[in-house]
Amino acid sequence: APGRGRRGKVRLAVGTAGDRTDEILHNLGELAGTADDVVISEKRHYLRGRDLDEMNAILREGIAEAGYTREVATIDTELSALQALLARSRRGAVAAVMSHVARPDIFAWLEEEGFRSVDLDRLRTMVGA
């Protein structure tokens, strides 16, 4: 628990537009794989000619290369991905979602649920940076 000198869990919903190169997708997955909990947040509005299953597979390869060994679920919206991460979070955890299209909906939902922003110094403390 954060109160005992350990950082809170970092939970991440990773996803991006389909017009990124395979290398970028793989590297993004690799970076995401360093989190404690990872889901793929699909960006169906931004496939830009890319096959969704192929994109998810490349992200998963990068996630696994980082040493992440658990199953990585795919979730069809950014808000649903964030809600899934928060549902399995405890106080002191950090949940992040790579968001574009759903940003206004996410902020509205967070406000409705009583979540509040933290400043950068607090965030650094929470993630042990």
Side-chain angles (χ1 to χ4, degrees):
R4 291 192 299 251
R6 293 174 39 206
R7 69 171 176 80
K9 294 214 182 269
V10 175
R11 300 179 189 281
L12 177 64
V14 62
T16 191
D19 58 354
R20 308 302 188 249
T21 65
D22 288 0
E23 181 182 18
I24 289 171
L25 291 173
H26 181 87
N27 291 344
L28 185 59
E30 195 171 351
L31 181 61
T34 64
D36 298 303
D37 187 9
V38 180
V39 298
I40 294 174
S41 172
E42 296 178 330
K43 311 285 191 228
R44 293 171 183 261
H45 291 90
Y46 293 96
L47 291 177
R48 299 176 179 158
R50 174 79 78 155
D51 178 79
L52 183 62
D53 291 334
E54 173 193 29
M55 208 163 113
N56 291 343
I58 295 169
L59 286 169
R60 279 193 176 91
E61 289 170 7
I63 291 166
E65 191 167 308
Y68 191 88
T69 59
R70 296 195 314 257
E71 183 179 341
V72 179
T74 55
I75 302 178
D76 64 350
T77 69
E78 296 165 353
L79 178 56
S80 296
L82 180 61
Q83 289 169 332
L85 294 175
L86 289 172
R88 53 192 191 229
S89 293
R90 294 183 179 168
R91 185 172 183 83
V94 173
V97 59
M98 296 176 67
S99 178
H100 181 66
V101 69
R103 190 175 296 158
D105 294 335
I106 288 172
F107 284 126
W109 181 81
L110 287 168
E111 186 175 332
E112 287 171 17
E113 294 295 311
F115 288 95
R116 60 182 173 79
S117 298
V118 296
D119 64 28
L120 188 54
D121 288 336
R122 175 71 179 128
L123 180 61
R124 284 184 178 125
T125 299
M126 292 172 77
V127 299

